Amino acid sequence: MANEKKPEKIIQKWQNYDKAHEARDLDLGAAGRGVWLVKVPKYLSEKWKNSKGNGEVGELNITRSKLPGQKPSVKFKANPAVIEPKPGESVIPEEYEFRLTGVGDQNLVILSQHPVMTDPVPGVEPEIVSEHLSIEGKVMQRAECCPVANMRYSKFKKTQIESQNKPQRQVMHTDVVINYKPKTDHFFNIEHKQKKKNEGKKTRAPVDLVKDMLFNAFEKHQYYNIRDLEKLTQQPIAYLKDILKEICIYNMKAPHKNMWELKPENRHYKEDA
Amino acid sequence: MSATQHHIVRVPRGRKKKYGVVKFATGTDIDFVKLSQTPVKIERENNLKDYKLANDLDTQPKFGAGSEFGRDLKEEARRKKYGKIMKHYNPDDQPWQLKIGSGKQVKRYKGVREGTISDNTSYYIFMQGADGAFEAVPIEEWYNFQNIPKYKYLNSDEAEEEFTRRDKTLNMFSIMLKKRINKGGEEDKDLDLEEGEKKTKKKGKEKDFKLTDMDDWAEKSDDEDEEDEDEEDGDKEEKKEAKAKKNKKKKEDGKKGKKNAKHNSDDEAVEESDEGDYDDREVDYISDSDSLSEPDEQTKEEKYNDKGVEEEHGLRKLIDSEESSEDENKEEEAEEDKDKPEKDKKDAGSDSDSSSSSSASDSDIEKEEKINSALFMQKSSDKKRSSPLTVGDKQSSSRSGTPTNIDDRKGLKRKLDGDMSSGKKPRTESPVFNSQSGTSLDGITEESIRRYLTRKPMTAKELVLKFKSKKLNMSSEQMTSTIAQLLRKINPDKSTINNTMYLSLKKPE
């Protein structure tokens, strides 16, 4: 379907949550403006979104009736350039009729959000700092954009139904035969082995040096897994364990299971932390 | 003439604005055009804390003490392993908070984003530009704005509490209603019930805040008003005495100081029960004057008796024979309470005293007498008088009717004592009573007619009715004939008022 391409992202995500939750003034400058709320078929709106050029999508012909109290007839003729089908797509209707309905006792107001971005600096992605919120008007009229039932429309409907009923998966004939043969060693395995070989065996550093590294690490966090310490210090696990046993406790129980922490006499964390 | 206008529709490109429709709940008359002067603020609801709490984020320190190396990453890996994909917090997804006005006039609205509207269709707004061309811009979000109530409403627990309270008030109302009904139905001869209710009522009153004893008296006087006119005079005397005694007692209580409250409550309790009352007073007599010997008591009694007789001398004739006997009963009982051995002697005396009593007792009459006396007793009970017959009734009612919530043991004990003594009384005294109360067993005596006539002028018919109401075991002709005979014998004064002849007698001096 035509839905596969996501519509362009208009508003970026907030980076600063505090700013996002700030109370802002609502701009009521355009509150008096009357607008129409029109329901548009999805296939047409897709075309509108992807329109190019000056953005003209069609022409609205409003004919007011001679008789007073009669609803005017509103017709829409789509711009042929806009609705031109892409290869593989079906032709969509060209003529539409606007069926007007009142708003009843519903109170519908249009609200717009306009993000205020940081000044564009090359190389740095702009960030939302604020937002301009305004009332854009009041819905005076509701309308439904319906295609006029003509030959073109029935043709469109026909293709639409056909395409929808087409099965998703189909049998295909292939010309080239692909043989999957067993391999002694896969590429990524070879890569990994090579990397390890380059690093070589971990060599035991002097105890004092390792201890310094460990104390440095424990200053940042209280609990460490042995694997993480191994990565941080680049020491063989057996050697590391010997040193850890000297200065640390091994937690065997729930909250920090299988983790090392400094012995009480060795640590000097702040009370409040 | 139908003119067709042509307008170009444009979809602006490279637009940065994001449009949404704000839907207000029906009934909210919000017009942004009118609000140009008032400050209107809008913000996103901050749910970051809730989000972190719900997803168990940032619960542990990232650095320093208590922190684990690479914990976040590990958690993330663990979640991925279990196929749990966590949604990131997006401020744009949070509901709007609209604030219109400031200070106390502020109105708040919450706008929740609605989904699924533009799943299968798309909405555009058409805005007419200055050149007549329409600008079509897509709607991306729908928000549903609803008013946030200003007042504080009850949460479920509070509402539950209030609900139970509501039940309570209903109960209170029904209690009040019951009370009112009972007051109205006091005339009913349902003695037991009435008694029970009175007791409960009194109990209720006890709990009330009492400023002075005057309140008590007012209550009593209320009760008095309900009484028969016949009884009033004679009883007042006795009441005075009782009051005097009570006052005395009060003073004494004051002296006792600490025990005061207890005693007061005792008094209160006593007031509703007849039998315990006497015991109480007796105790006070003893405690009152430290050297109260038998002879002293006797003299007091004599005085009491004398006075009663003196006062009632005139009344004796006015009051029904039953009442007089009843009065005697009371006195007797008082004596009896004080001294059991004395009782027999007294009984004999009283027997001889009641001149009008005749031994020919009819079972019917007896019954009637009982009921009558019971009725009177019930009324006189307010004046702390007890009668042997009603005691039994009261006992039963007090047991069933009154909740025994007496907090001080003393009162309870005393009451129990009274109950026990009264429990004996009916058995021992009933024969006495019978013999006494059979004042006019023959039904119609010269004495009784005289009494009626001295009290107030009566027609012959009324006189006959008086006796008829006594349900004497005789036919109406028999009755009228006897009455006529007796009337001839008495020869009362005759006066004609409104064409009816009234018979009357002057009070003997």
Side-chain angles (χ1 to χ4, degrees):
Chain A
M1 286 284 302
N3 221 348
E4 76 236 331
K5 201 176 135 193
K6 272 203 158 183
E8 56 184 305
K9 210 162 101 187
I10 298 164
I11 289 185
Q12 280 87 358
K13 288 267 156 65
W14 289 87
Q15 265 85 49
N16 191 336
Y17 289 164
D18 289 337
K19 275 179 185 164
H21 290 298
E22 266 172 19
R24 289 176 233 287
D25 282 321
L26 196 59
D27 183 7
L28 304 176
R33 177 160 56 169
V35 298
W36 287 15
L37 181 65
V38 185
K39 190 176 172 183
V40 181
K42 208 118 201 193
Y43 52 83
L44 185 63
S45 70
E46 284 300 324
K47 293 282 179 196
W48 286 3
K49 266 178 198 162
N50 300 324
S51 66
K52 288 176 189 97
N54 57 2
E56 279 178 27
V57 292
E59 196 184 53
L60 211 59
N61 302 319
I62 302 168
T63 313
R64 298 199 190 277
S65 171
K66 275 183 271 182
L67 299 164
Q70 282 275 317
K71 277 179 189 166
S73 86
V74 182
K75 295 240 163 81
F76 174 74
K77 197 164 182 294
N79 186 352
V82 172
I83 62 165
E84 195 179 304
K86 282 181 196 164
E89 274 182 353
S90 62
V91 178
I92 69 161
E94 196 181 20
E95 285 171 54
Y96 298 85
E97 192 189 349
F98 276 29
R99 286 186 198 151
L100 304 176
T101 50
V103 281
D105 58 350
Q106 274 183 313
N107 192 358
L108 299 172
V109 177
I110 307 300
L111 173 80
S112 76
Q113 294 164 251
H114 185 208
V116 178
M117 313 295 280
T118 47
D119 291 332
V121 179
V124 180
E125 208 170 293
E127 198 182 311
I128 313 171
V129 281
S130 180
E131 203 175 19
H132 191 75
L133 292 153
S134 51
I135 296 292
E136 293 288 332
K138 201 177 176 216
V139 175
M140 308 297 281
Q141 185 83 56
R142 284 185 82 150
E144 208 171 322
C145 179
C146 303
V148 176
N150 51 18
M151 282 308 288
R152 192 178 165 133
Y153 174 66
S154 46
K155 213 171 167 185
F156 160 71
K157 259 308 181 201
K158 196 177 155 192
T159 48
Q160 200 184 30
I161 289 164
E162 271 172 6
S163 69
Q164 269 170 2
N165 287 338
K166 215 157 70 179
Q168 297 264 313
R169 291 173 187 185
Q170 283 175 316
V171 179
M172 282 168 72
H173 286 285
T174 50
D175 303 327
V176 191
V177 180
I178 304 164
N179 268 328
Y180 294 101
K181 284 176 183 167
K183 277 187 173 175
T184 48
D185 214 345
H186 287 282
F187 170 71
F188 48 84
N189 279 341
I190 296 164
E191 203 175 47
H192 184 71
K193 272 177 194 165
Q194 189 63 43
K195 200 178 155 195
K196 279 230 156 188
K197 210 178 183 180
N198 287 347
E199 274 176 14
K201 271 200 165 185
K202 280 170 190 147
T203 48
R204 297 187 171 200
V207 180
D208 287 345
L209 194 73
V210 177
K211 270 187 183 171
D212 271 356
M213 277 196 285
L214 284 174
F215 281 127
N216 264 332
F218 278 111
E219 231 161 64
K220 283 171 194 151
H221 302 279
Q222 193 177 352
Y223 302 96
Y224 279 88
N225 202 317
I226 189 88
R227 302 246 163 236
D228 296 326
L229 287 175
E230 185 205 352
K231 261 181 215 161
L232 286 169
T233 53
Q234 294 295 330
Q235 298 296 312
I237 282 190
Y239 178 57
L240 202 59
K241 259 188 182 167
D242 282 345
I243 300 166
L244 281 173
K245 268 175 194 164
E246 197 183 311
I247 59 166
C248 285
I249 317 164
Y250 183 65
N251 280 315
M252 312 251 263
K253 280 188 181 169
H256 305 287
K257 207 180 173 186
N258 305 336
M259 291 185 126
W260 290 90
E261 72 174 305
L262 285 177
K263 278 180 183 169
E265 60 263 28
N266 292 336
R267 55 176 112 123
H268 55 275
Y269 299 110
K270 274 175 194 164
E271 282 299 310
D272 53 54
Chain B
M1 189 196 98
S2 66
T4 306
Q5 293 168 296
H6 302 279
H7 302 278
I8 289 168
V9 179
R10 258 188 234 118
V11 175
R13 306 212 26 91
R15 123 199 94 74
K16 288 204 173 141
K17 272 185 185 175
K18 188 180 161 190
Y19 289 83
V21 174
V22 169
K23 229 190 326 185
F24 284 100
T26 47
T28 40
D29 51 339
I30 203 164
D31 194 352
F32 285 110
V33 181
K34 288 176 193 161
L35 293 170
S36 53
Q37 299 309 314
T38 45
V40 181
K41 291 255 182 189
I42 194 163
E43 65 178 304
R44 288 187 182 85
E45 202 176 273
N46 198 341
N47 293 319
L48 188 60
K49 263 185 194 169
D50 292 336
Y51 169 82
K52 279 181 177 170
L53 208 70
N55 291 294
D56 203 23
L57 296 173
D58 286 355
T59 48
Q60 275 169 325
K62 288 210 159 119
F63 293 103
S67 64
E68 270 178 32
F69 176 81
R71 185 185 164 84
D72 287 351
L73 292 173
K74 266 176 207 156
E75 279 294 307
E76 186 75 36
R78 202 175 64 88
R79 268 198 290 273
K80 259 183 195 161
K81 191 175 128 193
Y82 292 114
K84 188 182 165 191
I85 300 155
M86 203 168 59
K87 266 190 179 174
H88 288 282
Y89 180 77
N90 184 8
D92 277 326
D93 290 346
Q94 307 312 313
W96 287 111
Q97 298 269 17
L98 183 65
K99 205 168 104 184
I100 296 170
S102 57
K104 287 211 165 180
Q105 301 296 313
V106 75
K107 270 187 181 174
R108 285 172 190 280
Y109 294 88
K110 187 181 182 180
V112 182
R113 203 172 62 158
E114 248 183 303
T116 71
I117 288 177
S118 48
D119 274 4
N120 297 312
T121 54
S122 49
Y123 282 90
Y124 274 75
I125 53 167
F126 278 52
M127 298 180 286
Q128 199 161 23
D131 58 342
F134 279 100
E135 253 190 23
V137 279
I139 292 294
E140 279 165 57
E141 307 289 0
W142 289 73
Y143 298 102
N144 222 339
F145 273 68
Q146 273 187 320
N147 194 4
I148 302 170
K150 265 192 232 171
Y151 53 87
K152 193 181 161 275
Y153 46 85
L154 302 171
N155 64 27
S156 60
D157 287 343
E158 284 165 338
E160 197 70 35
E161 204 183 306
E162 287 301 314
F163 189 80
T164 55
R165 203 170 292 162
R166 160 189 166 276
D167 220 30
K168 229 181 215 168
T169 49
L170 248 185
N171 280 345
M172 202 78 98
F173 176 72
S174 71
I175 285 166
M176 292 306 285
L177 197 75
K178 235 187 226 168
K179 263 190 186 174
R180 215 175 302 150
I181 286 165
N182 288 337
K183 229 175 204 173
E186 221 157 80
E187 281 88 42
D188 292 351
K189 305 229 163 165
D190 202 349
L191 293 174
D192 283 25
L193 238 173
E194 226 175 4
E195 206 52 40
E197 243 115 42
K198 265 195 178 168
K199 285 198 172 186
T200 50
K201 255 191 251 174
K202 284 260 169 86
K203 272 270 144 66
K205 274 170 189 168
E206 267 172 52
K207 278 170 202 159
D208 286 347
F209 180 63
K210 210 166 73 176
L211 275 177
T212 60
D213 291 318
M214 297 283 275
D215 297 356
D216 231 357
W217 298 346
E219 256 177 63
K220 246 200 310 191
S221 65
D222 267 8
D223 290 336
E224 277 165 35
D225 289 346
E226 285 168 20
E227 286 169 29
D228 276 358
E229 296 171 344
D230 311 15
E231 270 189 319
E232 229 166 43
D233 290 19
D235 290 335
K236 257 179 193 166
E237 288 303 315
E238 285 172 9
K239 222 167 283 158
K240 267 179 200 164
E241 281 172 20
K243 270 181 197 171
K245 270 176 210 158
K246 217 183 163 191
N247 283 348
K248 218 169 156 190
K249 211 160 69 178
K250 283 275 146 66
K251 273 179 208 159
E252 193 194 75
D253 285 347
K255 274 180 219 160
K256 277 179 185 172
K258 212 183 172 185
K259 274 188 177 176
N260 198 5
K262 262 189 180 180
H263 251 268
N264 271 346
S265 67
D266 271 3
D267 284 353
E268 241 58 70
V270 152
E271 217 167 348
E272 57 187 60
S273 71
D274 318 343
E275 54 282 353
D277 180 39
Y278 252 107
D279 297 350
D280 209 2
R281 209 176 288 171
E282 194 185 24
V283 169
D284 278 336
Y285 274 119
I286 292 160
S287 62
D288 202 354
S289 50
D290 33 3
S291 62
L292 253 188
S293 54
E294 281 297 300
D296 218 332
E297 220 176 301
Q298 285 291 348
T299 52
K300 216 170 193 175
E301 227 170 80
E302 282 302 304
K303 208 172 120 198
Y304 192 48
N305 254 343
D306 278 349
K307 212 178 179 184
V309 170
E310 209 173 54
E311 291 299 318
E312 278 172 40
H313 185 67
L315 289 169
R316 191 160 278 268
K317 275 164 195 167
L318 310 182
I319 299 167
D320 279 354
S321 55
E322 304 96 59
E323 280 170 56
S324 64
S325 67
E326 178 200 321
D327 277 349
E328 276 161 22
N329 269 349
K330 284 178 209 161
E331 286 160 26
E332 239 172 54
E333 198 203 308
E335 285 151 24
E336 185 197 63
D337 276 347
K338 281 160 196 160
D339 227 343
K340 283 264 157 129
E342 250 185 23
K343 189 190 78 188
D344 287 350
K345 195 175 76 190
K346 276 275 160 186
D347 278 352
S350 68
D351 257 355
S352 60
D353 269 353
S354 55
S355 56
S356 58
S357 69
S358 57
S359 55
S361 67
D362 197 311
S363 66
D364 256 1
I365 295 166
E366 212 176 285
K367 205 173 160 192
E368 161 71 359
E369 295 286 341
K370 272 183 197 172
I371 289 166
N372 265 348
S373 62
L375 184 70
F376 286 128
M377 280 298 99
Q378 176 257 314
K379 269 159 189 169
S380 64
S381 72
D382 296 327
K383 301 163 292 171
K384 306 181 173 185
R385 294 279 138 166
S386 68
S387 106
L389 241 193
T390 45
V391 156
D393 289 348
K394 250 168 255 168
Q395 216 177 319
S396 61
S397 67
S398 75
R399 280 209 183 124
S400 59
T402 44
T404 50
N405 63 340
I406 306 155
D407 38 356
D408 52 342
R409 290 286 157 84
K410 223 176 175 180
L412 182 71
K413 225 177 186 176
R414 208 165 270 173
K415 214 176 170 184
L416 274 175
D417 282 350
D419 273 354
M420 263 155 67
S421 65
S422 64
K424 273 180 227 155
K425 260 177 235 161
R427 242 177 284 132
T428 52
E429 284 208 27
S430 51
V432 177
F433 177 77
N434 278 346
S435 64
Q436 268 184 354
S437 60
T439 42
S440 58
L441 289 177
D442 200 20
I444 305 153
T445 55
E446 200 190 327
E447 176 87 354
S448 54
I449 290 171
R450 267 181 196 282
R451 203 172 291 140
Y452 282 131
L453 293 180
T454 43
R455 195 186 306 161
K456 88 179 186 199
M458 266 180 170
T459 61
K461 213 175 183 181
E462 280 174 334
L463 205 58
V464 172
L465 277 172
K466 268 274 188 221
F467 285 104
K468 239 180 201 171
S469 67
K470 288 202 187 316
K471 282 178 191 162
L472 296 169
N473 208 13
M474 50 167 61
S475 66
S476 53
E477 293 113 64
Q478 226 179 324
M479 207 186 278
T480 40
S481 64
T482 32
I483 289 168
Q485 265 178 18
L486 286 168
L487 277 179
R488 245 171 261 141
K489 205 169 150 193
I490 295 160
N491 194 20
D493 299 350
K494 283 164 196 165
S495 54
T496 316
I497 307 161
N498 285 345
N499 294 333
T500 41
M501 198 176 66
Y502 282 89
L503 308 169
S504 63
L505 268 178
K506 279 208 174 113
K507 278 185 189 175
E509 291 310 309

